């Protein structure tokens, strides 16, 4: 593994399935997707059958509420045994040091480019207000970490669904690497359709000593610049998975010497870099529906709460810098605007109010679903949040520390990362 300490980055030994493995059965979607849709995972089981698959090396979270502790222990044991079997029987090829640059098409976007690499957990923090090179984008729920650490501690390899964002408006890192690799005439290291109509994936391997790999490192170094404590990487998807990887590393390093800690494989987590400005990456707001209160009562309470914040209420958009919408079953929506908001984002201001009032709330994707769930205005309230600006994303994290929980979603469920690459994390 080649380490670039100044940018918290490394070219790891990447494991890929043997060339005769059917990648359309090997690659499966992130384990934290379709968590309420067992029928999706039943379809995945049917597609995979007895074929080698990443499905056998991860724990889909849909099963967590459906199985007791004994069943979960058995599932973890099966994962451990499968990983050992895949390593011992050559299902994974020998690791090759470098990066993978890839292009993903989905049913809604023809292209989204990424770069698979390793990230130094010693230079990552999810603590609000930190100045680490790698930072979380949302508040971390500490209770979600121990179960994931248990899975990681049980395995010799990691298969990542983490997506890490960079702010690269000129496309100097990922896009340039893809341009170089695709023009090289080299054969792709994988080229496969993804199951359940989730699109297509094509990737090229960049050896750590190649000009393309050196270009990646140079471009990231330039993005970081000379500014002290500048954030370079923001975790877009997989905040809790990366936090769990750090917790696992902290457990391991306690028993290592300083020298052993420098390049231990568990210190580095495999993830995919995506440029926040990639046109194939959608940022969608997550809306709110509040239950147990009427629309009129909610508006009255919100008006009282936000009065010091320069609140105004209108039946049409005002164009104010911070504005959110209270839905109405008859279409007579109300726009609530603030000139002196308590948070730099509307979703932050709203979430602070909801938390303070201890309202029962659900977090909803899609305006139609919000309107359906809030159709009874005597007992529910729909709140539509504005879009999150890509251009202001990194500045907001630097200012606020992390986004409020459930602020944004990166695309639809079927656009989430698929497990394909792997990396060893045992010593």
């Amino acid at each position: 593994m080649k380490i670039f300490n100044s940018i918290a980055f490394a070219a790891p030994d990447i494991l890929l399935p043997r060339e005769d493995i059917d990648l359309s059965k090997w690659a499966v979607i992130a384990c934290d997707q379709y968590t309420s849709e067992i029928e999706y995972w039943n379809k995945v089981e049917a597609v995979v059958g007895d074929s080698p698959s990443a499905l056998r090396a991860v724990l889909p979270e849909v099963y967590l509420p459906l199985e007791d502790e004994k069943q979960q222990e058995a599932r973890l044991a099966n994962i451990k045994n499968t990983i050992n079997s895949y390593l011992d029987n050559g299902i994974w090829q020998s690791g090759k040091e470098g990066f993978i640059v890839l292009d993903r098409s989905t049913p809604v976007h023809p292209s989204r480019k990424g770069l698979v690499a390793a990230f130094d957990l010693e230079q990552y923090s999810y603590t609000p207000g930190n100045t680490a090179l790698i930072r979380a984008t949302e508040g971390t729920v500490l209770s979600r970490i121990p179960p994931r650490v248990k899975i990681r501690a049980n395995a010799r390899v990691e298969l990542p669904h983490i997506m890490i964002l960079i702010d690269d408006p000129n496309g100097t890192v990922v896009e340039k690497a893809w341009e170089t690799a695709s023009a090289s005439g080299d054969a792709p290291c994988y080229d496969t359709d993804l199951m359940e109509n989730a699109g297509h994936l094509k990737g090229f391997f960049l050896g750590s000593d190649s000009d393309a790999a050196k270009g990646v490192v140079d471009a990231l170094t330039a993005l970081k610049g000379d500014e002290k404590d500048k954030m370079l990487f923001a975790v877009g998807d997989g905040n809790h998975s990366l936090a769990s990887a750090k917790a696992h590393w902290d457990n391991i390093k306690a028993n290592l010497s300083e020298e052993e800690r420098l390049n231990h494989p568990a210190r580095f987590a495999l993830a995919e870099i995506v440029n926040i400005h990639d046109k194939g990456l959608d940022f969608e707001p997550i809306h709110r529906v509040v239950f147990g209160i009427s629309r009129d009562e909610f508006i009255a309470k919100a008006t009282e709460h936000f009065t010091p914040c320069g609140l105004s209420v209108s039946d049409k958009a005002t164009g104010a810098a911070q504005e959110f919408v209270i839905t109405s079953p008859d279409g007579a929506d109300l726009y609530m605007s603030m000139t002196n908001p308590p948070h730099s984002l509307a979703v932050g201001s709203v979430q602070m109010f909801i938390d303070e009032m201890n309202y029962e709330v659900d977090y909803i994707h899609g305006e139609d679903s919000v309107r359906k769930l809030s159709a009874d205005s005597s007992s529910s309230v729909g709140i539509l949040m504005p879009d999150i600006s890509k251009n202001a994303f990194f500045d907001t994290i630097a200012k606020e520390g992390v986004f409020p929980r459930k602020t944004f979603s990166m695309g639809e469920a079927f656009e989430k990362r698929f497990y394909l690459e792997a990396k060893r994390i045992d010593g």
Side-chain angles (χ1 to χ4, degrees), residues 201 216 408:
L201 196 59
V216 166
F408 67 94

Side-chain angles (χ1 to χ4, degrees), residues 238-299:
N239 275 283
H240 286 87
S241 292
L242 197 60
S244 300
K246 183 175 180 65
H248 175 59
W249 165 239
D250 287 344
N251 290 339
I252 288 177
K253 75 177 184 181
N255 298 312
L256 298 177
S257 68
E258 287 296 324
E259 184 177 354
E260 290 171 327
R261 293 179 185 183
L262 293 177
N263 59 1
H264 193 286
R267 173 174 171 165
F268 296 85
L270 199 64
E272 178 185 340
I273 295 177
V274 178
N275 185 2
I276 195 171
H277 300 284
D278 192 306
K279 293 180 180 179
L281 181 67
D282 285 336
F283 272 41
E284 299 176 355
I286 301 178
H287 308 297
R288 273 79 171 142
V289 176
V290 175
F291 299 98
I293 187 172
S294 72
R295 178 176 182 264
D296 290 343
E297 184 181 359
F298 180 90
I299 292 171

